[in-house]
Amino acid sequence: MNAPAPRVLVIDDDDDIRGLVAELLQRAGLDVEQAPDGRAGLRAFHQTPADLVVLDVSMPELDGWQTLERIRDLSDVPVMMLTARGAELERVRGLQAGADDYLVKPFGRQELVARVQALLRRARSSTDERQDSYGDERITIDFAQRAVTYAGRDVSLTPLEFKLLSAFVRHPRQVLSREQLLDLVWGDAYGVSGDQVKLYVGYLRRKLDSDEPDTVPIETVRGFGYRYEPPR
């Protein structure tokens, strides 16, 4: 018996764009539900949780940021933001708010499908991961609960920061290149700058130890990438 097709919820107040996104994803074999605004999208998400959400930023009443915040209260589901604005600060805001990817309109049709499929692959890989927990002298992680403690303190991480930390502790003492981290954390290196890795490693270090981020055992290996060195 074949597994059911992944379910994607598309939330956008522009009928033409929403219809185009739905058509492209349906052609790619995905099960697509549409919602014309944030409130309708949240109702649909409550009724039948999606495997991935494509979410427009600029919508009346409940905009994309507010909708994303409420989705994150409910789920760690992958979310791709759509926006007409391509400024770096806007992209950073989306990723910091818990989005998993950010696509600027007008977008290429093949790029949209490729990014959605990459996010779904990454989500499946994360679900299939058998390790339930991790612990060393500095860090403990409950993967099922998405709970992290560092030096005995509870640490609140965004979904993307949590995935980055998970990638490090699941490959201890291994140098991971920016390209490997893009694949492990973002799901695909396509359209994502390697600078994003540097940016998020910095965020992660400061979240784990805001007073002394340089003491966090995530080492920069110049010219190669990064390595998590568990305390011995």
Side-chain angles (χ1 to χ4, degrees):
M1 183 175 179
N2 293 331
R7 181 174 178 273
V8 179
L9 175 60
V10 180
I11 308 173
D12 196 316
D13 65 319
D14 187 311
D15 293 344
D16 292 336
I17 292 178
R18 188 177 69 249
L20 173 63
V21 171
E23 180 182 354
L24 292 171
L25 297 181
Q26 285 168 343
R27 286 182 186 176
L30 304 176
D31 179 14
V32 182
E33 181 173 358
Q34 302 181 45
D37 56 58
R39 295 188 190 282
L42 288 171
R43 284 196 298 271
F45 191 83
H46 273 286
Q47 290 170 1
T48 311
D51 296 301
L52 183 141
V53 177
V54 178
L55 176 62
D56 184 40
V57 169
S58 299
M59 294 186 293
E61 297 185 25
L62 200 68
D63 67 15
W65 305 120
Q66 295 166 310
T67 304
L68 174 62
E69 183 178 1
R70 298 189 187 185
I71 289 173
R72 280 289 164 258
D73 288 339
L74 301 169
S75 171
D76 206 22
V77 63
V79 176
M80 173 186 286
M81 305 293 286
L82 296 180
T83 180
R85 292 169 289 188
E88 181 181 0
L89 288 178
E90 196 76 5
R91 293 196 299 273
V92 170
R93 178 185 177 184
L95 295 170
Q96 284 186 310
D100 296 86
D101 203 354
Y102 197 95
L103 194 58
V104 178
K105 304 174 188 176
F107 48 79
R109 298 184 179 199
Q110 292 180 337
E111 179 181 4
L112 169 74
V113 173
R115 288 197 181 201
V116 165
Q117 290 174 333
L119 287 174
L120 288 169
R121 282 197 306 272
R122 188 182 76 201
R124 283 195 299 270
S125 175
S126 177
T127 301
D128 292 342
E129 180 61 59
R130 294 184 181 278
Q131 187 178 5
D132 294 325
S133 63
Y134 171 86
D136 59 38
E137 290 183 8
R138 204 80 67 88
I139 293 177
T140 61
I141 303 173
D142 182 326
F143 292 106
Q145 299 298 320
R146 301 289 196 269
V148 177
T149 63
Y150 183 84
R153 294 178 291 100
D154 291 337
V155 179
S156 177
L157 300 179
T158 67
L160 210 138
E161 291 164 349
F162 183 85
K163 289 166 187 169
L164 181 59
L165 178 61
S166 299
F168 280 126
V169 301
R170 284 172 170 151
H171 300 83
R173 303 184 181 89
Q174 178 181 335
V175 177
L176 298 173
S177 68
R178 291 186 178 186
E179 290 73 22
Q180 286 175 301
L181 288 168
L182 285 170
D183 187 57
L184 289 167
V185 179
W186 280 261
D188 198 341
Y190 185 76
V192 183
S193 167
D195 289 340
Q196 287 292 104
V197 176
K198 180 179 180 181
L199 186 69
Y200 269 85
V201 169
Y203 290 153
L204 181 57
R205 285 169 173 157
R206 289 191 293 274
K207 283 285 190 74
L208 294 174
D209 193 331
S210 58
D211 295 325
E212 296 182 285
D214 291 342
T215 66
V216 172
I218 299 173
E219 302 175 355
T220 300
V221 182
R222 296 194 181 279
F224 293 96
Y226 301 91
R227 173 176 57 210
Y228 180 70
E229 189 67 42
R232 296 181 184 278

